Amino acid sequence: MARQPRIHYYGAVYHVIARGNNNENIFQDPQDKEKYLSLIENYKAKYNFLLYSFVLMPNHAHMLIEVKHDPLSKIMQGIQLTFTQYFNRKYSRVGHVFQQRYKAILCPKDEDLLTVIKYIHENPLRTGLTKTPDYKWSSHLYYLKEDSSPVDTEFPLRLLHRDPEIAHKNYHELMYHTPFDALGVANIYEMPKNMRVSKYNEKREAAKKVSLEDILSLVAKETKIPKELFLKKSNKPEITRARRLFLYLVVCNEVLSRTDTARYLGLSPSAVTKSVNEVESDPRFQ
């Protein structure tokens, strides 16, 4: 059975869980955790995503990420591949370090986000690594600081209160004195496994896979060029631009593979890759 494509759109928020292959430890010592965090920072600067929360456990990592123009798949490919190369070189090994398919749960960008953050920050507490949420290798401590870089705490804290001082107090109350039952959440401990959180399920079921027709209609509306025109090759700049925009959205939303996109537009796969790269580097498309 084919895997479902990832849903991608500007501003999408994902709870990402990346596990070690066969549940093996991917962080053997503090230097490994430091390396992984440095990679998150490097790719954050490259792809301009927001990092709302993270925790590094011995055999897996949680991240709460809001993407911009670049899809989550590109972000995670960069982080996982680079860390795998580092890990295998350091420990003189070969093969996979991570499970091949990381989990990515689409999250609503509202007060429910605080529940995910609390869940992520309490992972070490629930597994017995610590007795409080005060775990060095999570973003929890960044929420208690004035300078939270590289964690983007502003939006989550604003969900707690517009006044920063009150927001920090409310965050402290949320983490240290608020049980999950008070948040109206069911089966929170099983959330990464089967997503049994009532509010999430409603919104997750409402999320629709982007279709080819959706993108055709969007490009036609934004460029004011009928789809019958931009689906054909042309030397006119405005049609070429619409065609590239369509190609880019199809590939980045994983509606079609690059090979199938090339076949659909009568191009070579290398031409599709070249066009995607050109769109990403052209600020006019952004």
Side-chain angles (χ1 to χ4, degrees):
M1 182 176 177
R3 288 172 172 171
Q4 290 292 325
R6 306 284 191 196
I7 296 173
H8 170 71
Y9 57 89
Y10 187 100
V13 180
Y14 303 93
H15 177 188
V16 182
I17 306 106
R19 296 189 179 278
N21 197 34
N22 297 320
N23 276 328
E24 295 172 353
N25 285 356
I26 52 178
F27 304 116
Q28 306 279 355
D29 58 31
Q31 287 72 34
D32 296 341
K33 295 185 179 76
E34 289 170 359
K35 177 65 176 180
Y36 196 81
L37 290 180
S38 73
L39 291 176
I40 293 175
E41 288 191 59
N42 290 344
Y43 283 95
K44 185 174 185 285
K46 182 175 182 179
Y47 293 127
N48 192 35
F49 63 85
L50 298 178
L51 178 67
Y52 291 135
S53 181
F54 73 84
V55 66
L56 305 185
M57 305 294 284
N59 66 350
H60 68 283
H62 290 260
M63 288 171 281
L64 187 60
I65 290 175
E66 178 180 330
V67 299
K68 300 300 182 183
H69 295 287
D70 295 292
L72 180 67
S73 57
K74 181 179 289 188
I75 295 166
M76 292 304 297
Q77 181 184 36
I79 294 173
Q80 307 296 72
L81 178 60
T82 309
F83 185 81
T84 294
Q85 293 169 342
Y86 153 84
F87 191 89
N88 283 345
R89 185 168 56 248
K90 178 177 177 179
Y91 295 106
S92 301
R93 65 186 299 279
V94 294
H96 297 295
V97 172
F98 296 93
Q99 288 181 0
Q100 290 185 333
R101 183 76 161 176
Y102 59 87
K103 287 189 178 181
I105 302 166
L106 190 62
C107 298
K109 193 178 176 183
D110 56 21
E111 288 80 5
D112 285 346
L113 213 59
L114 299 170
T115 301
V116 187
I117 292 172
K118 180 175 174 65
Y119 178 88
I120 290 173
H121 288 171
E122 289 196 349
N123 241 251
L125 179 64
R126 287 194 305 278
T127 58
L129 279 179
T130 60
K131 294 183 178 180
T132 72
D134 302 332
Y135 178 62
K136 180 179 179 181
W137 303 106
S138 88
S139 51
H140 165 64
L141 296 177
Y142 289 90
Y143 275 82
L144 304 177
K145 297 178 181 177
E146 296 250 336
D147 178 16
S148 61
S149 180
V151 183
D152 299 286
T153 63
E154 183 179 354
F155 174 72
L157 287 173
R158 197 163 63 244
L159 291 173
L160 288 164
H161 203 280
R162 292 190 177 186
D163 184 310
E165 185 175 347
I166 298 175
H168 277 92
K169 289 180 180 178
N170 289 346
Y171 174 78
H172 191 278
E173 180 70 21
L174 174 72
M175 287 304 305
Y176 293 100
H177 305 294
T178 306
F180 277 113
D181 290 347
L183 300 174
V185 179
N187 297 319
I188 187 68
Y189 297 104
E190 299 180 20
M191 186 178 68
K193 183 178 180 181
N194 53 23
M195 206 54 192
R196 293 177 182 172
V197 183
S198 57
K199 291 183 180 180
Y200 280 35
N201 278 339
E202 293 170 9
K203 295 179 182 181
R204 194 180 184 212
E205 288 299 319
K208 301 295 183 182
K209 175 177 174 286
V210 178
S211 71
L212 194 63
E213 191 58 41
D214 290 334
I215 295 177
L216 285 167
S217 300
L218 175 64
V219 174
K221 179 181 178 182
E222 292 296 323
T223 63
K224 296 180 173 58
I225 297 174
K227 61 184 178 182
E228 294 78 12
L229 292 181
F230 67 70
L231 287 177
K232 298 178 181 178
K233 292 182 181 179
S234 173
N235 292 325
K236 293 183 178 180
E238 63 274 17
I239 294 180
T240 299
R241 180 179 181 277
R243 187 174 169 85
R244 285 183 177 177
L245 180 59
F246 168 76
L247 181 156
Y248 177 75
L249 291 173
V250 167
V251 171
C252 288
N253 283 282
E254 299 180 333
V255 174
L256 295 175
S257 67
R258 295 195 182 205
T259 300
D260 288 340
T261 302
R263 189 179 297 115
Y264 188 80
L265 292 173
L267 301 170
S268 67
S270 61
V272 170
T273 298
K274 181 180 178 182
S275 291
V276 169
N277 292 339
E278 287 175 351
V279 169
E280 289 180 340
S281 62
D282 189 342
R284 292 175 299 173
F285 282 98
Q286 307 308 321

